Amino acid sequence: MKLQPDRFDVPSVTGYGPGWVAIQGEKTHHSVVIASNGTQFDWGCEHFQDLGPSHFAQLAELDVEFVIFGSGKLLRFASPAWMQGLMQKRIGVETMDTQAACRTYNILAGEGRKVAAALLIEGQNSD
């Protein structure tokens, strides 16, 4: 039985692999933020160690209820201090590896939720 629609009315992740994701069929090899309201922008970090408060401040400016942080190939948590802007705006955050974040974003966006995914895309040799 097929439960998922063949096409979403919101931007979706259409594929992923080591060092890349495809959004609406367009492959990208850099970290990216995608939101169900159509917002999409480069996230400006190549490695988990490059992340800082400014990256999460960008997420707090999005018109969403929930942010999924895809932390790369491994499950790694950002500093709680960096989440202050999100918490002040009552925006929920969940951390998972980037591939799981892609799948979760698609499910929530497909349900009509106001959600964004901040996807850390690292090269194959990055930890």
Side-chain angles (χ1 to χ4, degrees):
M1 178 186 314
K2 191 173 199 175
L3 299 176
Q4 301 287 341
D6 285 336
R7 123 178 144 60
F8 288 109
D9 293 329
V10 295
S12 62
V13 178
T14 53
Y16 53 78
W20 64 274
V21 296
I23 299 171
Q24 299 301 104
E26 187 175 326
K27 199 181 252 192
T28 184
H29 296 272
H30 54 79
S31 298
V32 64
V33 174
I34 177 176
S36 58
N37 64 9
T39 301
Q40 180 179 330
F41 57 88
D42 295 348
W43 205 24
C45 52
E46 294 181 29
H47 307 285
F48 184 80
Q49 296 80 0
D50 297 337
L51 290 169
S54 63
H55 292 97
F56 291 88
Q58 289 177 310
L59 304 177
E61 297 306 314
L62 298 172
D63 181 27
V64 297
E65 300 168 344
F66 194 76
V67 171
I68 303 160
F69 168 45
S71 63
K73 295 180 287 185
L74 304 173
L75 177 61
R76 296 168 287 190
F77 295 92
S79 169
W82 300 349
M83 306 292 176
Q84 289 300 314
L86 292 162
M87 288 187 284
Q88 288 172 349
K89 291 190 174 186
R90 303 181 65 92
I91 298 173
V93 181
E94 184 68 43
T95 300
M96 53 193 74
D97 68 67
T98 295
Q99 291 186 0
C102 291
R103 295 187 300 268
T104 303
Y105 166 81
N106 279 351
I107 291 168
L108 294 176
E111 291 175 350
R113 301 281 304 272
K114 291 175 67 173
V115 63
L119 305 173
L120 180 63
I121 309 300
E122 300 176 299
Q124 292 185 357
N125 296 326
S126 298
D127 288 326

